[in-house]
Amino acid sequence: MITIALADHHHVIRQGVRCLLEAEKDFQVVGEVADGLEVVGLIERHRPRVLIMAVGMPGLNSFEVTLRVRRRSPETAVILLSMYSGEHYVIEALRSGACGYVLTQARSSELIRAVRKGAAGHRYLSAPLSEHPIEVWLQRARSRALDPYEALTSREREVFNLVSEGHSSAAIARRLAISRRTAESHRANVMRKLRLKNQIDLIRFAITRGILTLPSDLLGLPDRGAPRPLRG
């Protein structure tokens, strides 16, 4: 039996993916969450063989979540489900340790195939990404230069994500169970380490990193396509 956990902030999408997966006799969905900050706890409770997670999770971005899941539960294969086909997103997914990247416009059979591949310890990229050998993508991921984000601590990354989503210091403090002063201190450290001057700089940085998934045509970023649902 292949055990699977789901992470997506859209309830309808989670239910649809769950129904698709549970139609397979050897698949079992053991849990689901809607917030990036809750994913690691879910994984530690259930230790699923596969985690299917949407790119663009609130609370903590999917790439950071993938890094944490791979550290805490190396046996859990992470498959990212995304509407974004840009090279940047695929590279970030592989750098963070994801074993699969499936586009929402792919056929539903591709997600099933990705789960089976991941459970067997193999990588999977859905078409048209699969037109390039996975080793090519991995080489690009390895050769990518480090950026200042790598210097942030785990807590600073959590604060960074919440700030980019528009949360105030008080709201961040409540969400992370820390004092407002501590939240403000982490926020200041983020701005200093990333060399950001204001909120606009922070949001732009979050978008270019794939942490904040917002329309970005006005920022000069490549078009990533409109979302389309999985189809059979």
Side-chain angles (χ1 to χ4, degrees), residues 26-134:
D26 57 335
F27 286 5
Q28 179 185 10
V29 177
V30 296
E32 56 184 77
V33 293
D35 191 298
L37 289 170
E38 298 175 0
V39 177
V40 173
L42 174 72
I43 298 304
E44 290 182 330
R45 288 193 302 274
H46 296 285
R47 297 288 176 178
R49 185 67 191 88
V50 176
L51 165 66
I52 298 176
M53 176 168 51
V55 168
M57 292 291 289
L60 190 62
N61 77 85
S62 304
F63 304 129
E64 179 65 22
V65 172
T66 300
L67 281 169
R68 297 185 183 193
V69 168
R70 296 297 296 152
R71 292 192 193 111
R72 302 284 187 89
S73 182
E75 70 275 15
T76 299
V78 180
I79 296 170
L80 295 180
L81 185 61
S82 175
M83 68 179 72
Y84 304 103
S85 60
E87 178 177 305
H88 173 82
Y89 288 89
V90 181
I91 288 176
E92 284 298 319
L94 294 175
R95 284 186 71 202
S96 64
C99 76
Y101 195 92
V102 178
L103 299 175
T104 53
Q105 59 263 43
R107 293 185 178 277
S108 57
S109 59
E110 288 205 59
L111 182 58
I112 299 298
R113 190 176 304 118
V115 171
R116 296 194 184 282
K117 286 276 191 180
H122 303 299
R123 294 187 179 91
Y124 183 84
L125 300 179
S126 67
L129 303 175
S130 56
E131 292 175 2
H132 299 285
I134 290 179

Side-chain angles (χ1 to χ4, degrees), residues 197-216:
K197 296 180 180 179
N198 51 46
Q199 183 77 2
I200 293 176
D201 285 349
L202 187 146
I203 291 174
R204 184 184 180 91
F205 185 92
I207 292 174
T208 58
R209 281 279 313 192
I211 292 169
L212 190 64
T213 52
L214 292 177
S216 52

Side-chain angles (χ1 to χ4, degrees), residues 171-190:
I172 292 171
R174 289 193 298 271
R175 189 81 178 275
L176 300 180
I178 58 179
S179 71
R180 178 169 181 167
R181 178 175 294 182
T182 299
E184 291 173 346
S185 176
H186 286 313
R187 181 170 183 161
N189 287 338
V190 168

